[in-house]
Amino acid sequence: MNNILDKGSLESLRRMIADSDRIVLTGHVRPDGDAVGSTLGLWHLLTRLGKRASVVMPDQPPRSLAFMPGFKEVSVFTRHEDFCRRLIGEADLIICCDFNKPSRQDSLGPVVAEADCRKVMIDHHQDPDAFCDLTFSYPDMSSTCELMFRIIAGMGYYMEMNLESATCLATGLITDTRNFTVNCRNPEVYEVLMHLLEKGVDKERIVREALLAQSMDSLKLHAYAIMEKLEIVEPMRAAIITINSEELARFHYERGDSEGLVNKPLNVRGIVSSFFLREDDDCIKVSARSVDNFPVSEVCERLFGGGGHRQAAGAEFHGTLEECRRMLIEALPSFKHYLPHKLDKLEY
Ligand code: MN
């Protein structure tokens, strides 16, 4: 495996860890497999090295990640704010994983940003803010977990990485690449996976738990959304699904139930982008995915002030569901030049 990480930065991080006793690991709001995997993956190692490490998340991670070793150790800011503030206040070092700016942590953001200790960022999103003393930003990597594996190995702690740590890191690698279907062109991604499997990771279980498992209500919500609520903007090869709160209630919606739905229309040959608009308590949640390098991050940013990765992005819109849908449909043609020159026939 090529050593693409900066030697000096690795040594700085190794020293910062060695010099710290209390270390807080933290991730982005609505923590996903990569945020929880990278923080817990490192947490297992630091605990093994005798550090008083803790994981603090802005809000509750989804139930689909509850199988991860150490999941119960995660402290949730919206649930135990005082406790989380104390952990951060007492920390010698804070390591920010899988996010690039304090706003990605909602109300936890300012608490972390203003904490009076050294901070490190370990992340793979573009354009990181400069709020950390040491920044590992590698937007070309599949996942923060891939980066975390490389950092741990690069600091010379591969032997200390146990099965628990490897399981957490593999979870982020698997969820961010959707079980190696996106962001996995670099052959070294599979070398990282190989090393994790060598640690004894049960990949099949991770795929089942973190990617596939859903409730019957969730399955039916997906079926309904595709049957009744999917529209195609044909000239733009875009799919749009809108779901209002009344429909969500009908399927006893719980957070995470619509996970993966936005990807489904992309299975149809000829569809280039897919947008899922869901009515939430105080806003419309926009989630967008694409193939053929169509920049949904730019769509989300320009229309709604959101962002993300080029082929996987999101935003929040303040207004009605119908306004959001109209805005999207009206603005999409201005992104037409990004469509591939040779379009597949749209297969209905
Ligand atoms: Mn990630």
Side-chain angles (χ1 to χ4, degrees):
M1 188 155 50
N2 287 317
N3 222 331
I4 52 177
L5 305 184
D6 176 59
K7 276 246 156 52
S9 301
L10 283 173
E11 179 53 23
S12 302
L13 178 58
R14 207 193 54 77
R15 260 170 201 281
M16 279 188 191
I17 290 172
D19 293 345
S20 305
D21 176 34
R22 295 166 196 260
I23 303 176
V24 166
L25 310 172
T26 187
H28 57 76
V29 74
R30 287 180 298 282
D32 59 5
D34 198 28
V36 181
S38 54
T39 50
L40 275 180
L42 182 59
W43 178 83
H44 284 289
L45 176 78
L46 295 178
T47 304
R48 205 165 173 190
L49 295 176
K51 302 295 173 184
R52 281 190 269 187
S54 33
V55 174
V56 174
M57 284 295 171
D59 57 351
Q60 179 67 36
R63 205 177 42 184
S64 62
L65 302 176
F67 73 96
M68 291 170 76
F71 184 82
K72 286 204 178 76
E73 306 296 326
V74 175
S75 302
V76 177
F77 187 68
T78 48
R79 286 195 176 176
H80 303 107
E81 182 174 331
D82 290 345
F83 180 67
C84 293
R85 279 181 187 275
R86 197 164 75 228
L87 289 174
I88 290 166
E90 291 171 352
D92 306 312
L93 177 65
I94 299 179
I95 303 182
C96 300
C97 304
D98 201 35
F99 69 99
N100 57 357
K101 38 183 71 104
S103 60
R104 290 285 294 127
Q105 289 204 299
D106 278 5
S107 53
L108 177 59
V111 183
V112 168
E114 286 156 26
D116 184 24
C117 69
R118 286 194 289 188
K119 278 157 234 160
V120 177
M121 184 199 299
I122 298 178
D123 182 50
H124 70 136
H125 296 87
Q126 276 161 16
D127 308 321
D129 277 8
F131 70 101
C132 291
D133 303 273
L134 177 62
T135 297
F136 291 85
S137 172
Y138 289 84
D140 289 338
M141 285 211 193
S142 66
S143 53
T144 298
C145 280
E146 178 194 343
L147 176 57
M148 189 64 83
F149 174 88
R150 291 171 181 268
I151 287 175
I152 290 173
M155 288 191 299
Y157 290 127
Y158 178 72
M159 292 306 287
E160 282 79 5
M161 186 190 293
N162 57 17
L163 173 59
E164 286 77 14
S165 176
T167 298
C168 295
L169 295 179
T171 301
L173 189 57
I174 288 166
T175 53
D176 263 27
T177 62
R178 266 193 279 138
N179 196 19
F180 305 95
T181 57
V182 294
N183 302 326
C184 52
R185 285 173 197 231
N186 183 350
E188 293 191 355
V189 169
Y190 304 92
E191 211 175 324
V192 172
L193 175 67
M194 182 191 77
H195 288 303
L196 295 171
L197 292 172
E198 280 170 356
K199 292 281 181 184
V201 162
D202 184 349
K203 177 173 178 283
E204 290 168 35
R205 172 153 190 249
I206 296 173
V207 172
R208 224 166 45 234
E209 297 271 7
L211 277 182
L212 301 180
Q214 63 185 149
S215 67
M216 193 57 83
D217 275 330
S218 160
L219 187 69
K220 289 180 178 175
L221 173 65
H222 285 221
Y224 168 76
I226 291 164
M227 285 293 288
E228 309 288 341
K229 305 302 304 269
L230 170 66
E231 59 182 318
I232 305 294
V233 182
E234 230 179 291
M236 282 308 295
R237 304 305 179 92
I240 302 177
I241 295 174
T242 51
I243 298 275
N244 64 37
S245 49
E246 184 273 319
E247 292 164 321
L248 293 171
R250 211 186 306 161
F251 294 95
H252 314 104
Y253 177 82
E254 284 178 35
R255 216 172 78 187
D257 278 359
S258 53
E259 199 65 49
L261 177 57
V262 67
N263 297 312
K264 288 282 156 59
L266 294 175
N267 295 349
V268 178
R269 202 170 286 126
I271 297 287
V272 173
S273 63
S274 171
F275 297 85
F276 175 49
L277 317 180
R278 174 173 62 81
E279 189 173 27
D280 208 350
D281 295 338
D282 55 352
C283 68
I284 307 301
K285 289 268 198 290
V286 178
S287 121
R289 299 289 183 275
S290 68
V291 294
D292 292 330
N293 220 26
F294 186 83
V296 284
S297 51
E298 237 180 274
V299 179
C300 287
E301 193 185 336
R302 204 194 313 155
L303 293 188
F304 310 117
H309 302 286
R310 195 171 171 94
Q311 300 197 123
E316 289 182 355
F317 172 74
H318 294 274
T320 68
L321 188 59
E322 185 48 30
E323 283 164 1
C324 187
R325 176 181 162 275
R326 280 254 65 94
M327 252 179 89
L328 179 61
I329 291 175
E330 277 162 25
L332 270 175
S334 66
F335 295 90
K336 186 144 190 160
H337 58 287
Y338 285 117
L339 285 177
H341 296 300
K342 272 194 68 164
L343 281 166
D344 278 334
K345 194 173 169 295
L346 195 54
E347 289 187 0
Y348 277 102

